Amino acid sequence: MAHPVISGDDCISCGACVEACPCNVLELGAEHAEVTDGDSCIGCGSCMGACPVGAITEIAED
Ligand code: SF4
Ligand code: SF4
């Protein structure tokens, strides 16, 4: 199962990854973007490409 790895320290909560995800995997939490539905992630990488500050460091497989 794929899921994005988000660096909470780097995230500026812009919401770009939430908008970019075609599968509604991500939501903006109180402090930073969060994976709320990892089971739906297809590993496309759109969230990583949309992030302006590189806070999504990898699409991990587990
Ligand atoms: S890799 Fe694709 S499906 Fe998975 S969270 Fe990012 S945008 Fe969504
Ligand atoms: S695109 Fe990057 S900076 Fe913006 S909310 Fe997502 S992880 Fe945070």
Side-chain angles (χ1 to χ4, degrees):
M1 194 74 68
H3 64 86
V5 177
I6 300 168
S7 169
D9 286 344
D10 294 327
C11 176
I12 57 172
S13 297
C14 69
C17 58
V18 178
E19 294 296 318
C21 180
C23 305
N24 295 319
V25 171
L26 301 160
E27 290 183 14
L28 277 185
E31 306 266 323
H32 52 74
E34 296 174 355
V35 175
T36 53
D37 184 13
D39 287 348
S40 296
C41 179
I42 57 173
C44 67
S46 294
C47 54
M48 183 187 265
C51 182
V53 294
I56 299 179
T57 54
E58 64 173 319
I59 308 299
E61 298 279 345
D62 57 14

